[in-house]
């Protein structure tokens, strides 16, 4: 069975500071990994995904994530936070044969302060 | 504009009163699903559909029904809602049922309160 753990339900950073949101997964088969963002009163929007190949994945709005198989991690980073990055972020996993089902982490609320 | 729409966006109802939340996508996607989002639990899949007339249970299907009579529509039915179904519901779709790595597109959500 697959599972996703997001460390830190709330993360606060200063504007311009590094954003690091942690995600660890458990999967018995090679996973596909996703980060979604949810802005207030909106649905989820894909930030980036890892399927195969290059382990450093770049997404929208300056975010990137690195797939580390040895650490079973897929942490999300952004070098410089902007006020508009304040949102809830979800890490999710799927796998071949899993029927498109996404297994989500519990989410991390990012707050960006002046 | 490519999108997933849900209606209503907000609904307050009482225990036992049947309700339907509609979901429609205009992208000709094969796969559609419903999730519920609860604080501290993330999103959990309720039901999914791999194509017209093909539906199956997700992780938390109790108390819900779905149908897929047309490719674009995937309504969620609560025949006898209970307070523990108070939640934020999302419909999602993706282009193919054969692959698991495609982006899923989410609707704006339906906030349901059952009194």
């Amino acid at each position: 069975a697959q599972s996703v753990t997001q460390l830190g339900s709330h993360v606060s950073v200063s504007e311009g500071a590094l954003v690091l949101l942690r995600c660890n997964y458990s999967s018995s088969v090679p996973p596909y990994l996703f980060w979604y963002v949810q802005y207030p009163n909106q649905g989820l929007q894909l930030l980036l995904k890892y399927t195969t190949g290059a382990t450093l994945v770049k997404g929208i709005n300056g975010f990137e994530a690195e797939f580390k198989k040895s650490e079973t991690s897929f942490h999300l980073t952004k070098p410089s936070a902007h006020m508009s990055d304040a949102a809830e972020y979800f890490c999710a996993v799927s796998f071949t044969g899993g029927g498109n089902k996404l297994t989500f982490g519990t989410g991390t609320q990012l707050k960006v302060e002046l | 504009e490519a999108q997933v729409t849900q209606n209503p966006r907000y609904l307050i109802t009482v225990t036992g009163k049947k309700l339907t939340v509609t979901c429609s996508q205009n992208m000709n996607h094969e796969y559609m699903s419903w999730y519920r989002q609860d604080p501290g639990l993330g999103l959990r899949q309720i039901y999914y559909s791999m194509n017209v007339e093909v539906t199956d249970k997700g992780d938390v299907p109790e108390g819900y029904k779905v149908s897929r009579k047309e490719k674009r529509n995937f309504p969620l039915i609560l025949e006898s809602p209970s307070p523990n179904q108070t939640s934020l519901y999302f419909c999602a779709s993706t282009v193919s049922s054969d692959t698991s790595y495609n982006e899923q597109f989410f609707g704006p959500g339906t906030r349901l309160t059952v009194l």
Side-chain angles (χ1 to χ4, degrees), chain A residues 35-104:
Chain A
W35 275 100
Y36 282 86
V37 61
Q38 184 181 28
Y39 298 105
N41 297 315
Q42 295 186 28
L44 281 72
Q45 177 184 0
L46 181 67
L47 270 180
L48 49 80
K49 66 178 181 180
Y50 169 78
T51 55
T52 59
T55 56
L56 181 62
V57 180
K58 295 187 185 299
I60 61 172
N61 300 336
F63 285 93
E64 62 182 38
E66 187 171 10
F67 170 58
K68 292 187 176 180
K69 184 178 179 180
S70 61
E71 298 178 8
T72 61
S73 69
F74 191 55
H75 302 331
L76 181 71
T77 61
K78 181 175 180 178
S80 177
H82 191 272
M83 295 296 288
S84 61
D85 294 327
E88 189 157 22
Y89 293 80
F90 291 93
C91 183
V93 63
S94 68
F95 63 98
T96 299
N100 273 304
K101 174 189 163 185
L102 288 170
T103 298
F104 285 89

Side-chain angles (χ1 to χ4, degrees), chain B residues 4-37:
Chain B
V4 179
T5 57
Q6 294 179 228
N7 283 291
R9 293 289 312 278
Y10 302 90
L11 180 59
I12 300 175
T13 189
V14 296
T15 299
K17 186 175 181 181
K18 181 179 178 179
L19 65 91
T20 300
V21 182
T22 65
C23 172
S24 183
Q25 50 90 7
N26 62 1
M27 296 168 280
N28 200 37
H29 284 174
E30 279 188 350
Y31 183 94
M32 298 184 73
S33 63
W34 278 101
Y35 291 86
R36 61 177 287 174
Q37 182 182 9

Side-chain angles (χ1 to χ4, degrees), chain A residues 2 29-30 32 94-101, chain B residues 48 50 97-101:
Chain A
Q2 284 63 42
V29 296
Y32 303 122
S94 68
F95 63 98
T96 299
N100 273 304
K101 174 189 163 185
Chain B
Y48 65 93
M50 299 183 78
S97 294
D98 294 334
T99 56
S100 301
Y101 51 75

Side-chain angles (χ1 to χ4, degrees), chain B residues 69-114:
Chain B
K69 291 181 170 43
E70 305 166 284
K71 198 170 186 179
R72 63 184 294 128
N73 296 323
F74 189 46
L76 179 70
I77 303 157
L78 286 72
E79 294 209 323
S80 184
S82 63
N84 64 12
Q85 294 177 297
T86 293
S87 188
L88 180 58
Y89 291 86
F90 288 101
C91 181
S93 73
T94 190
V95 58
S96 170
S97 294
D98 294 334
T99 56
S100 301
Y101 51 75
N102 293 311
E103 175 181 2
Q104 295 204 25
F105 294 83
F106 286 79
T110 295
R111 187 167 292 282
L112 172 65
T113 302
V114 184

